[in-house]
Amino acid sequence: MDDPLLECLRDPARMARLGGPAWAGLMQRARPRALLGKLGRAAADTGIEESLPPAVRRQFASVDRLCAYNDEHLRAEAFMVLHALRRTGAPVLFLKGTAYALLGLEVARGRVSSDVDIMVPRDRLEAVEQALGAAGWLSLKTDAYDQHYYRSWMHELPPLQHRHRATVMDVHHTILPLTGRIRPDAAALLAAARPVAVHGRQAFVLEPADMVVHAAVHLFQDGDLAERLRELLDIHELVTEFAGRESGFWDRLAERAALHGAGRPVWYALNFARRLLATPVPPGRLEALPSRPRRVARAAMGRLAPVALLPSLPDRPSAAAAWARRLLFLRSHWLRMPPGLLLRHLSVKAWAALRARLSSLF
Amino acid sequence: MSRIGALAPADFARRLRAGAVLAVPPFAVRVQSRLGALHRSMHGLYGEFDLLGNAEAPDFVIRVDGTGGWRRLLRRQSMAYIDTPPPYVPLPERMAPLMFEQALNWCVATRTFTHLILHAAVVAREGRALLIPGQSGQGKSTLCAALVTRGWRHVSDEFALLDPRSLEITAHPRPISLKNQSLDVIAGWAPEVQLSEAHHGTPKGTVGYVRPTRAAVDAAPAPVRPAAILFPRFDAEGEAGLAPFGTAAAFIALTACSVNYREFGQAGFVALSRLVGELPVMSATYPDTATAVGLAERALAGTAR
Amino acid sequence: MATADGSIRLAVPGALLWREWEDGCVVFNRATGETHYLDLFTSYLLRLIEAGVDGPDALASTACADLGGERTPLLDGRIARALENFETLALVERDP
């Protein structure tokens, strides 16, 4: 698997030896996947910035500012959410990128993703939704079908967007759809959550092993798998940092994966992270995971996933990668919904898309 | 490294087909296209710019080509391809030069965070620069072209690249885009000016470009310090003249014409408040180009120490 | 006054960066990354809260003392509206 982006993420010193055309290709691959910031951080950490071409240094400097802003922005949005919800009394738990930024984790450096994800106890959902609405967070999905779909089957409210700031937020009450086979224990997630302060206000984030479990189920279960190399890199960086500083992390990870019934996604995540990014997973740790996939499933995913995770050049999408992505998309939807629903959801979406296209054809 | 205008048109076209890296200060842009309309246009408009070696790493990669698929059978169109889905619609193939300018503007505006970017023209005389903010259509390009043909330095015509700490502006001269009546105004004002062909029937009417001069391109590596801010207002009926502009009002106007103010956080707030606090800010109301040029001269002269 | 004199303070102490000019005033909120434009009276009120003047009653009487004039329902209404805006923008927080 010789993808230049992957190679440079794994071995940043390589970047010092790239020529102009190789840089053009590398930046074209990295930028749409929000990985340019990661390359820039890696170059700075490796101490090779000085030897890079001027255009590359300019672009790394730009994306570095953007990433720093993204961090400030996520903290600001977290503060606004806590401000909006201060009278509901609901504990607010921040997920994914927002949590990484609030904790100042390694994974937050060079990472751009402006969406905010929060989780609140399910019995507080109504009060939370009302308070957010009063503070200017409006639903993006006004279509009755969308509303019904989210409320009946999903693990989150329909996405909200702030009226003035345009930030998009997902409000979760657990980390996976209600209909899927894997049912993470929401109460256990909240009970083990760790506190974090945001401008003097208390919020929560998942404890480290739960954070990895969430990243893993998200990578292999949630939506389409296209361009998920960055999410795999998230897992690589989370695991590397936690394993180095949280004592008993690996035992805890196996324990929490078992509790949430998420042995498989965690197995896949660690397996691919190790294969593609050389994540230091100690011997025996993969085998210790509960309900790891059977050999046949492992072989099929092994063929599909790496191709799908690798970004192709925008000009020349690889047919194999496109096919692998489609299969994986189907797989993730099949896993998370009863069969009847699958058909209904996709067809309503398809009609909406068709109507939208017709309206601009004249 | 060679000046584009010094290359034979056929040679330049061959290089663009293969992909060539242009120096468009402060950026390096890799351009690739099979379209003759773009080859001919760029050979003229970018004649004073340098072609860098192909081993040069680019800031941006832009390919301009025909659209694929069955639509090609209906009419020949051009489209700019960068690494993300392009945010614009195809244009007729002969408008490939507009497609390129649009794509490069988009790259500069959405990917540059080394500088605070303002929608503004910047012109300079004796090292002192006049910042002329305004969204497109408010007359900043016309005024910029008019001043440039009277010996002012063409620093930037569309985006001012402001360093938030030093408050210096990095030059980014490009073909100056003129629309509709402005084309005749500038052709009448300065008959010697080198204008591109006029593109009729674009979504914004007729569009043409002023070719950047050798002096503008050669001076581009040197940044300038803004000495005054001038908000232009073309008004055929109104009373011509300079008027002071409120400081808070100027601050708000600048944030509104900045494409990346938010991303700079506190540093952006400090930079723009320093800019409006330290520099004289005026609005110029004028019925014609001659008056506008006179007012711009007075605006800069009035600030001389 | 009928209004309950709830306590008011800056949402995050020390978060505001001010620039004041003759024609208005802008403030950068470090906690939210937002820039706000305030007219002179509104910025004066926010300055009072920043200085520790606590509650609508205290704001109204301080304003009357500083600026001269009678306390009127119009003034109270302006203060109430400003406080509501400040709170929506996460500039201040109020006890219910």
Side-chain angles (χ1 to χ4, degrees):
Chain A
M1 198 69 48
D2 52 347
D3 180 90
L5 178 54
L6 196 54
E7 286 178 3
C8 289
L9 287 170
R10 204 162 41 198
D11 178 15
R14 248 169 212 281
M15 285 188 276
R17 302 189 294 272
L18 294 179
W23 267 116
L26 182 64
M27 291 204 288
Q28 272 188 296
R29 278 185 161 85
R31 209 191 290 265
R33 280 96 210 168
L35 283 167
L36 198 61
K38 288 288 175 189
L39 287 180
R41 297 307 322 194
D45 291 347
T46 319
I48 54 167
E49 264 181 324
E50 296 292 299
S51 61
L52 302 179
V56 173
R57 273 154 63 188
R58 275 193 295 271
Q59 293 308 307
F60 278 173
S62 274
V63 78
D64 194 49
R65 176 64 244 160
L66 188 61
C67 292
Y69 163 72
N70 192 68
D71 243 49
E72 298 160 16
H73 167 75
L74 289 175
R75 183 171 289 275
E77 289 294 339
F79 170 73
M80 304 280 248
V81 167
L82 294 173
H83 182 77
L85 296 180
R86 70 199 177 287
R87 288 194 187 123
T88 63
V92 181
L93 190 144
F94 289 98
L95 298 168
K96 297 194 269 190
T98 319
Y100 308 157
L102 292 178
L103 291 172
L105 294 179
E106 193 63 24
V107 65
R109 299 171 70 225
R111 192 179 191 276
V112 173
S113 122
S114 55
D115 293 357
V116 178
D117 292 271
I118 72 170
M119 179 172 155
V120 294
R122 200 173 182 186
D123 58 4
R124 306 304 257 293
L125 215 48
E126 208 173 317
V128 164
E129 195 177 5
Q130 260 174 21
L132 289 174
W137 292 94
L138 307 177
S139 187
L140 276 177
K141 308 272 183 183
T142 46
D143 181 67
Y145 174 77
D146 280 325
Q147 286 285 342
H148 171 75
Y149 168 76
Y150 272 92
R151 284 170 203 280
S152 310
W153 306 107
M154 291 300 281
H155 53 305
E156 59 197 25
L157 294 176
L160 303 175
Q161 185 169 39
H162 196 273
R163 191 150 48 107
H164 302 308
R165 301 194 304 279
T167 312
V168 174
M169 173 161 67
D170 285 334
V171 181
H172 306 243
H173 53 82
T174 183
I175 56 173
L176 272 186
L178 301 173
T179 48
R181 293 178 185 175
I182 301 170
R183 293 288 190 97
D185 186 335
L189 291 170
L190 289 170
R194 292 186 176 179
V196 63
V198 185
H199 294 300
R201 281 169 176 70
Q202 174 154 296
F204 296 90
V205 291
L206 293 177
E207 67 98 342
D210 282 348
M211 206 177 268
V212 173
V213 170
H214 183 209
V217 294
H218 200 266
L219 174 62
F220 287 104
Q221 299 264 330
D222 206 40
D224 77 304
L225 260 147
E227 331 296 8
R228 286 290 174 82
L229 184 55
R230 199 204 56 194
E231 290 195 27
L232 191 69
L233 188 63
D234 283 352
I235 288 165
H236 165 79
E237 292 182 311
L238 286 173
V239 165
T240 308
E241 181 168 2
F242 291 151
R245 77 162 199 225
E246 300 276 333
S247 66
F249 169 73
W250 291 106
D251 290 335
R252 178 83 178 153
L253 183 58
E255 186 189 305
R256 298 302 279 187
L259 175 74
H260 300 303
R264 275 184 200 207
V266 172
W267 187 92
Y268 281 128
L270 292 181
N271 181 50
F272 287 121
R274 189 171 63 172
R275 261 173 68 190
L276 298 176
L277 297 162
T279 310
V281 182
R285 288 301 179 180
L286 271 182
E287 292 69 24
L289 284 169
S291 66
R292 63 202 166 93
R294 274 192 291 273
R295 188 173 301 171
V296 179
R298 251 152 56 190
M301 275 291 276
R303 276 196 309 277
L304 293 174
V307 188
L309 289 170
L310 290 182
S312 51
L313 266 181
D315 270 8
R316 302 168 216 115
S318 129
W323 175 239
R325 264 175 220 150
R326 216 164 302 145
L327 278 181
L328 281 167
F329 177 75
L330 208 58
R331 186 183 165 281
S332 68
H333 273 66
W334 171 71
L335 277 180
R336 97 182 161 172
M337 279 185 263
L341 263 180
L342 179 61
L343 192 66
R344 187 158 171 227
H345 179 47
L346 287 177
S347 57
V348 170
K349 289 280 168 203
W351 275 108
L354 187 62
R355 273 203 307 273
R357 212 173 312 155
L358 284 175
S359 67
S360 61
L361 191 70
F362 45 104
Chain B
M1 200 158 85
S2 47
R3 236 179 251 270
I4 288 168
L7 297 171
D11 184 23
F12 180 63
R14 185 182 54 76
R15 291 178 196 232
L16 280 191
R17 268 193 296 272
V21 183
L22 273 62
V24 186
F27 306 106
V29 186
R30 188 181 148 88
V31 188
Q32 191 174 5
S33 179
R34 288 191 296 264
L35 303 180
L38 188 71
H39 303 161
R40 285 188 295 277
S41 162
M42 288 191 82
H43 189 262
L45 283 177
Y46 285 85
E48 302 298 347
F49 290 73
D50 283 324
L51 199 61
L52 302 170
N54 259 352
E56 194 78 19
D59 290 84
F60 312 120
V61 178
I62 298 172
R63 184 169 70 82
V64 182
D65 274 321
T67 48
W70 56 270
R71 268 205 277 185
R72 188 181 37 184
L73 301 174
L74 295 181
R75 52 182 172 167
R76 301 181 71 84
Q77 293 190 304
S78 64
M79 186 65 175
Y81 301 91
I82 41 184
D83 44 30
T84 44
Y88 24 75
V89 295
L91 291 173
E93 189 177 289
R94 64 192 159 82
M95 293 183 194
L98 275 76
M99 199 32 113
F100 173 75
E101 292 301 319
Q102 177 170 276
L104 182 51
N105 282 340
W106 192 81
C107 285
V108 171
T110 62
R111 298 180 169 189
T112 305
F113 299 99
T114 47
H115 296 79
L116 196 58
I117 300 183
L118 305 171
H119 259 297
V122 183
V123 286
R125 232 154 84 153
E126 287 147 24
R128 299 170 61 252
L130 193 59
L131 183 70
I132 307 171
Q135 309 286 356
S136 97
Q138 292 179 341
K140 71 176 188 316
S141 295
T142 316
L143 182 52
C144 174
L147 290 167
V148 162
T149 54
R150 289 295 184 273
W152 291 56
R153 177 181 162 197
H154 171 191
V155 179
S156 289
D157 41 276
E158 190 70 41
F159 299 125
L161 273 52
L162 180 77
D163 183 306
R165 268 179 299 267
S166 69
L167 298 188
E168 283 188 334
I169 291 173
T170 296
H172 180 52
R174 295 264 300 279
I176 305 171
S177 160
L178 298 177
K179 290 165 196 100
N180 304 316
Q181 308 92 309
S182 293
L183 283 163
D184 295 332
V185 167
I186 293 302
W189 166 254
E192 74 285 1
V193 75
Q194 298 196 44
L195 280 172
S196 75
E197 61 174 318
H199 298 275
H200 301 285
T202 81
K204 289 180 181 172
T206 302
V207 174
Y209 293 95
V210 178
R211 181 185 197 260
T213 61
R214 173 167 295 205
V217 178
D218 285 350
V224 294
R225 270 201 86 83
I229 304 173
L230 188 70
F231 287 91
R233 203 162 77 88
F234 172 80
D235 186 346
E237 324 277 273
E239 198 183 331
L242 291 177
F245 205 90
T247 314
F251 180 93
I252 294 159
L254 288 187
T255 55
C257 71
S258 169
V259 297
N260 60 3
Y261 169 74
R262 274 184 78 101
E263 281 82 351
F264 278 85
Q266 184 173 333
F269 178 86
V270 170
L272 289 190
S273 56
R274 271 181 62 200
L275 203 64
V276 296
E278 290 172 12
L279 301 183
V281 188
M282 286 154 282
S283 68
T285 306
Y286 50 83
D288 55 50
T289 310
T291 312
V293 166
L295 291 177
E297 281 168 352
R298 263 178 50 206
L300 197 65
T303 66
R305 301 259 160 105
Chain C
M1 275 311 289
T3 51
D5 200 20
S7 179
I8 303 168
R9 61 206 159 272
L10 285 193
V12 178
L16 302 185
L17 191 59
W18 294 86
R19 292 289 184 274
E20 286 156 314
W21 297 296
E22 335 66 82
D23 62 324
C25 153
V26 291
V27 63
F28 181 77
N29 185 350
R30 292 188 186 91
T32 62
E34 306 246 315
T35 304
H36 304 288
Y37 168 78
L38 307 175
D39 65 43
L40 292 176
F41 180 70
T42 314
S43 65
Y44 163 78
L45 283 181
L46 189 55
R47 281 291 210 189
L48 290 186
I49 297 169
E50 194 178 34
V53 177
D54 192 358
D57 281 340
L59 286 170
S61 50
T62 311
C64 290
D66 282 359
L67 311 173
E70 298 276 292
R71 185 167 173 188
T72 61
L74 191 70
L75 177 70
D76 282 334
R78 272 193 84 178
I79 293 176
R81 262 200 312 283
L83 293 182
E84 219 163 275
N85 278 333
F86 291 160
E87 200 174 20
T88 308
L89 296 171
L91 287 163
V92 307
E93 70 181 9
R94 280 194 285 184
D95 293 335

